Amino acid sequence: MTRQILFQVHWFLGITAGIVLAVMGVSGAMLSYEDEIMAALSPGVVTIEPSGALRLSPDAIIARASAQRDGLAVTSLTMEAQPDRAHLVWFAPQPGKGRGESSYVDPHDGRLLGRATGHDLFRFVTSLHRWLALPEGGNGIGRQITGFSALALIYFALSGLYLRWPRKPLDWRAWLVLDLRKSGRNLYRALHAVIGGWVLVFYLLSALTGLWWSYDWYRQGVLHALTGQGSRQEQREETRPDGAARPPVLATAWRSFLRASGGHFENVRITMPAGDKPISFRALAPEARHERMTDEYRIDATSGAVEKVDLHARRNWGKTITTSMLEIHRGAFFGTAGRIALLLTSLTMPLFTITGFLLYFARRKKKKALRALDVPTVPRAGEASETLIVHASQTGGAVRLARLTSTAFESAPVVPISQLSPDMLAGARRALFVISTYGEGEPPDSARGFASRTMASPAPLDHLDYAVLALGDREYDDFCAFGHGVDRWLHAGGAKRMFDMIEMDGDDADAQRQWQQQIVSIGARGDMPDWETHAYGRWRLVERRHLNPGSHGGPAFHIAIAPIGDTEADWLPGDIAEVAPRHGPARVAEWLAGAGLDGNARVDGVTLADHLAGAILPDTVQGLPGDVADLVRTLRPLPHREYSIASIQADGCVHLLVRQVRDERGVLGLGSGWLTELAPVQGEIAMRLRANANFRPPDQPGPMILIGNGTGLAGLMAHLRQRAATGASPAWLLFGERSAALDAFHEEELLALHARGVLGRLDRTWSRDLQCGRYVQDAVTAGAEEIRGWVSTGASVYVCGSIAGMAPAVDAALRMALGDDQVESMIETGRYRRDIY
């Protein structure tokens, strides 16, 4: 909760004060080298040609400067020791003006040289930096805005440090290394967080010193804390307020100053006092790091008596800080390195504004998508739900997918993992977890408490079936780490996986469609459109062959589909074919007759019947648009159907093994009916290929144990054909079907692979044959000792087939043969993979 509150305040201040801070940062950077820039731009004004002529005395310079301004009084004179630098005079303000003007003056003849080039620009930049150049200057609203923004900067630095705190705080790489290989939101977050760590100290320094000019209460408090003084007024010099008053004669005081200082200075600023007060001399030593390292002398103008000497070297640290606040603010207090550091960090301020807004807009976009999904949330006390949808989300992505999952299960309750209680899990038969990983393998903020408390030890979950969709980003090393942690915790408590965890990289549409298809296989609605659509390619159905005529099981067909034209046709063993099904003509005609519509009516050059063939047909005609074009626009496409690819790319065609399915009324299944009966041979098929990284060949070559049943043989055949083509290590196939006489799919090819040694071992079971009567899991149990031997030599285990019956039974048999720890280790290392449906 603390992190969430800090984060909400952080982004709220970011979108309010962020732009102001960006302006202050850039303007502050421009002011870092203001004097040097103006000097470089102003030869003949700030800098002059060295001359052998004698320099005028302070009295002479003041008199000549005043005479050139019609007798306007000079309030201060800065004299430079360097022969190529002009002096600077400040005049008393003219009537009706708030402050006096300045001018450079030639030290040899007293001629006014004017102001430096860029003077007006830097004056505007100063007002922009200090009060956004708003009316009334330091007395207006602008000063309050910049003061508030400085306070916000302190909050940004401290809250950002807390929110950024890595899992391994002692690892300097976690703090300082910026990975520019990231992209999108990950790059914005990395720039915001990592560079924020680089500049944190500098921003705190800028904000804490900037408040000095924003709030009197802050300045008085700092003065009192550091010097014991109650007001800075005691430190201010009182200058002559009257532009017509006669300035004091400086000759005597000037000689006393030269004797007291030894003439050792870079420059000296002489300030004319009000009334008969002593004259102030502020001398900057040549070795000074910054302009406030001055020695101050107060000398009586008449007698030349030195009344006060305040040497910088003898000041206590409190007074040194308060008299050098500007130099600390711009970094000069720390020398050249400090000035450069403050310059660069000031220039980075817009980076945080820009990346902050980019992250904010991305977050808003996700929240907008969430508002369109209204589903039940946490069950009320005493209520139990057979199916729970649980999410852990940082930016809303997991919430969206959890809500979509809920709608597929007739609005099952959606529960944030932070609110998941033992009673909820105890009352559920199954739970689907949509789990995000945040940053470097960390749980989302809202899930931290659950991770630290509930997941600290296993819970009794023997009754629970579960599945996990893990969201993460492969640009981070600990990809989907929290999702894996939740999966391990559930398994440790005795819960049973319904199917293997699906990892989703960013907004990967393929992973979303895979999750949608997997939940359909465990009872979710199969008539919903795809959550994430993807363009289909053009393919042609070139072959359809019935493989098991007379079988008591459903008819199984060999399907061959070839690409048309330049359709992309790249795949590896384990990949998936996603087919766009279509209704048959009879079903479309039946619906048109009920709706009283003409199927030959055309919309965008396509008949209404053709539009309807690829769409989810409305359950009722009530409330449908009367205009055919409007009706077409309301149609939603049929969801795709997935099939394991049995061929390899060298075959030139995608081969599928499809079992024809009918419901209790005898109606053909959408996908199987389209491919096995309705689609004409040589007709066009809309299809796309999806990479299935979780079932592709092992990263390291080695033996494979392939286990499957029914049409799951397709996913295993691709691996066998690939190994035959590459000469890889032998494989062991364990396969189960109904009847050896009728359901021995691809019999000749399997026997040939066995004879060639590609199949080192072939074990098949026939559940309906009296002489066998076993299932494939029985073959796994019988071959447990041999399986242990193969696994010990590095064999990978791949399982493909039905999620109901076969997959959990084979998994249990493998765990009995190998041990639970060994199976879990193989899952983590990618040596135990399943493609189940």
Side-chain angles (χ1 to χ4, degrees):
M1 181 61 72
T2 301
R3 288 180 63 90
Q4 189 67 17
I5 293 173
L6 289 175
F7 174 77
Q8 294 295 330
V9 176
H10 191 98
W11 75 253
F12 175 76
L13 290 177
I15 62 176
T16 53
I19 295 176
V20 175
L21 287 171
V23 171
M24 294 172 67
V26 173
S27 58
M30 293 176 66
L31 295 172
S32 294
Y33 284 89
E34 173 186 1
D35 293 339
E36 288 82 354
I37 293 172
M38 287 197 295
L41 296 176
S42 307
V45 178
V46 179
T47 58
I48 58 175
E49 290 293 333
S51 171
L54 293 175
R55 293 189 167 198
L56 298 176
S57 68
D59 286 317
I61 290 175
I62 290 173
R64 295 190 183 190
S66 178
Q68 294 173 71
R69 289 292 181 89
D70 299 326
L72 191 63
V74 172
T75 58
S76 73
L77 165 66
T78 299
M79 302 183 68
E80 299 285 346
Q82 296 295 326
D84 62 345
R85 303 281 297 197
H87 296 344
L88 179 67
V89 294
W90 280 89
F91 295 98
Q94 296 180 359
K97 295 189 177 181
R99 58 180 297 178
E101 296 292 337
S102 64
S103 175
Y104 285 93
V105 58
D106 192 305
H108 303 103
D109 56 17
R111 176 170 48 89
L112 292 180
L113 303 176
R115 295 185 301 199
T117 301
H119 175 273
D120 292 336
L121 171 63
F122 280 107
R123 177 174 289 187
F124 170 76
V125 173
T126 300
S127 83
L128 187 67
H129 182 73
R130 298 186 66 181
W131 45 75
L132 302 179
L134 293 175
E136 300 185 42
N139 297 319
I141 188 64
R143 182 184 176 199
Q144 300 304 314
I145 294 174
T146 56
F148 170 80
S149 299
L151 290 171
L153 182 58
I154 296 174
Y155 178 83
F156 289 147
L158 298 179
S159 63
L161 178 65
Y162 179 84
L163 295 170
R164 168 79 175 87
W165 200 266
R167 288 188 303 163
K168 300 176 181 178
L170 299 181
D171 183 358
W172 65 270
R173 296 175 184 83
W175 290 102
L176 302 177
V177 174
L178 177 62
D179 187 356
L180 294 177
R181 295 172 297 177
K182 293 183 171 66
S183 60
R185 284 188 305 140
N186 294 327
L187 178 61
Y188 307 151
R189 187 182 296 115
L191 291 171
H192 202 86
V194 177
I195 297 181
W198 296 353
V199 301
L200 183 144
V201 173
F202 300 100
Y203 282 179
L204 283 175
L205 182 68
S206 295
L208 292 170
T209 53
L211 289 172
W212 178 270
W213 295 277
S214 297
Y215 297 111
D216 290 336
W217 58 264
Y218 180 84
R219 182 170 57 251
Q220 301 304 331
V222 172
L223 278 169
H224 182 77
L226 297 182
T227 67
Q229 296 177 348
S231 171
R232 192 168 180 258
Q233 301 295 331
E234 300 172 17
Q235 298 185 11
R236 292 179 179 170
E237 299 168 353
E238 297 185 50
T239 57
R240 302 184 66 84
D242 187 355
R246 181 179 180 82
V249 176
L250 298 178
T252 303
W254 176 246
R255 287 192 296 270
S256 295
F257 164 72
L258 291 176
R259 286 194 300 269
S261 66
H264 182 70
F265 58 84
E266 177 78 18
N267 62 53
V268 58
R269 180 175 181 179
I270 307 170
T271 303
M272 309 302 128
D276 58 355
K277 294 184 180 293
I279 300 170
S280 170
F281 294 83
R282 289 184 182 272
L284 181 70
E287 65 275 8
R289 293 192 313 275
H290 59 83
E291 294 181 0
R292 296 302 173 93
M293 292 182 67
T294 55
D295 297 330
E296 182 180 359
Y297 303 84
R298 293 187 180 269
I299 302 175
D300 183 80
T302 303
S303 65
V306 179
E307 297 186 0
K308 179 182 179 181
V309 176
D310 182 13
L311 300 179
H312 180 272
R314 296 181 182 177
R315 292 174 191 158
N316 60 42
W317 65 272
K319 188 172 183 181
T320 297
I321 291 174
T322 57
T323 57
S324 305
M325 198 63 71
L326 177 62
E327 303 307 310
I328 298 173
H329 187 67
R330 67 191 189 106
F333 185 87
F334 309 100
T336 301
R339 291 182 74 181
I340 294 174
L342 265 294
L343 165 68
L344 296 177
T345 54
S346 296
L347 285 173
T348 62
M349 190 70 75
L351 171 72
F352 299 96
T353 304
I354 294 169
T355 54
F357 270 101
L358 288 172
L359 291 168
Y360 167 71
F361 288 133
R363 190 179 183 86
R364 281 198 62 184
K365 183 178 179 181
K366 288 197 171 184
K367 287 190 173 182
K368 183 178 180 181
L370 281 179
R371 286 194 291 270
L373 297 169
D374 184 19
V375 297
T377 53
V378 182
R380 292 188 295 271
E383 284 189 354
S385 177
E386 182 182 75
T387 301
L388 282 179
I389 315 298
V390 183
H391 67 79
S393 183
Q394 183 70 27
T395 61
V399 179
R400 171 183 167 272
L401 290 171
R403 292 184 180 180
L404 286 169
T405 303
S406 171
T407 61
F409 281 96
E410 303 298 339
S411 299
V414 175
V415 183
I417 200 169
S418 58
Q419 300 179 33
L420 184 63
S421 67
D423 290 341
M424 291 181 196
L425 288 174
R429 183 177 67 82
R430 62 185 174 190
L432 293 102
F433 290 79
V434 185
I435 305 296
S436 287
T437 296
Y438 181 64
E440 302 291 344
E442 300 172 7
D445 293 341
S446 59
R448 286 175 177 264
F450 184 88
S452 61
R453 294 188 296 271
T454 308
M455 291 175 59
S457 59
L461 302 173
D462 307 65
H463 66 286
L464 187 70
D465 294 332
Y466 77 94
V468 176
L469 173 62
L471 280 60
D473 198 302
R474 293 192 185 277
E475 291 181 345
Y476 291 95
D477 293 334
D478 295 320
F479 176 59
C480 291
F482 185 54
H484 282 276
V486 171
D487 179 74
R488 286 192 295 268
W489 175 74
L490 290 165
H491 179 77
K496 295 172 283 296
R497 295 186 187 95
M498 291 182 284
F499 52 84
D500 295 344
M501 183 175 67
I502 295 174
E503 296 177 333
M504 179 173 158
D505 182 13
D507 294 323
D508 181 10
D510 287 345
Q512 291 190 43
R513 291 196 300 274
Q514 183 183 2
W515 173 260
Q516 187 177 2
Q517 287 295 306
Q518 288 287 54
I519 63 174
V520 168
S521 69
I522 60 171
R525 290 174 54 192
D527 60 347
M528 296 178 64
D530 291 347
W531 299 342
E532 288 291 334
T533 59
H534 189 282
Y536 291 98
R538 298 180 63 208
W539 297 74
R540 190 177 309 282
L541 177 59
V542 296
E543 184 183 4
R544 178 165 58 212
R545 187 172 74 252
H546 191 182
L547 296 178
N548 61 343
S551 173
H552 295 293
F557 289 81
H558 164 74
I559 304 293
I561 306 174
I564 297 175
D566 58 355
T567 296
E568 184 177 344
D570 297 325
W571 73 92
L572 290 174
D575 286 352
I576 300 295
E578 297 182 347
V579 176
R582 293 176 68 82
H583 297 295
R587 177 71 183 99
V588 173
E590 178 187 1
W591 190 91
L592 285 168
L597 296 173
D598 180 8
N600 294 318
R602 289 185 172 272
V603 178
D604 298 330
V606 180
T607 65
L608 175 59
D610 203 31
H611 281 295
L612 291 169
I616 298 174
L617 299 177
D619 294 331
T620 176
V621 297
Q622 299 297 324
L624 291 177
D627 183 74
V628 173
D630 290 339
L631 170 62
V632 169
R633 280 191 287 271
T634 65
L635 296 176
R636 297 178 299 164
L638 284 169
H640 75 276
R641 292 295 186 259
E642 295 187 350
Y643 301 95
S644 299
I645 300 174
S647 55
I648 59 176
Q649 193 163 332
D651 295 327
C653 291
V654 168
H655 293 176
L656 308 178
L657 180 54
V658 180
R659 191 181 300 278
Q660 190 179 89
V661 178
R662 294 180 183 269
D663 65 15
E664 64 277 2
R665 298 171 300 162
V667 177
L668 284 169
L670 272 176
S672 68
W674 173 242
L675 290 175
T676 64
E677 185 167 319
L678 299 174
V681 176
Q682 300 304 320
E684 189 167 322
I685 300 289
M687 188 174 77
R688 60 186 172 228
L689 305 181
R690 173 172 65 80
N692 184 14
N694 288 335
F695 208 67
R696 282 184 165 180
D699 296 332
Q700 299 297 328
M704 292 183 73
I705 301 174
L706 305 173
I707 307 171
N709 73 327
T711 57
L713 180 61
L716 307 177
M717 287 299 299
H719 287 285
L720 288 174
R721 288 167 172 167
Q722 180 76 3
R723 297 176 86 80
T726 60
S729 302
W732 177 4
L733 175 63
L734 298 96
F735 174 70
E737 245 297 345
R738 286 173 170 262
S739 167
L742 300 173
D743 299 302
F745 307 141
H746 301 299
E747 169 87 356
E748 292 182 4
E749 185 175 2
L750 289 176
L751 292 177
L753 291 172
H754 190 206
R756 289 172 52 189
V758 175
L759 266 176
R761 181 167 174 175
L762 174 60
D763 291 339
R764 290 182 288 180
T765 62
W766 314 104
S767 60
R768 297 298 187 269
D769 288 353
L770 293 178
Q771 64 271 30
C772 180
R774 296 189 306 157
Y775 293 91
V776 69
Q777 56 266 32
D778 299 320
V780 172
T781 300
E785 184 174 348
E786 291 86 347
I787 289 174
R788 285 193 291 271
W790 278 57
V791 169
S792 67
T793 63
S796 299
V797 178
Y798 279 48
V799 179
C800 188
S802 59
I803 196 171
M806 186 279 294
V810 166
D811 184 73
L814 286 171
R815 292 178 187 276
M816 287 293 294
L818 301 173
D820 191 70
D821 291 343
Q822 173 76 7
V823 172
E824 289 300 305
S825 175
M826 292 176 68
I827 291 173
E828 291 184 3
T829 57
R831 290 178 57 205
Y832 177 33
R833 303 186 180 190
R834 302 192 298 173
D835 180 11
I836 55 180
Y837 45 86

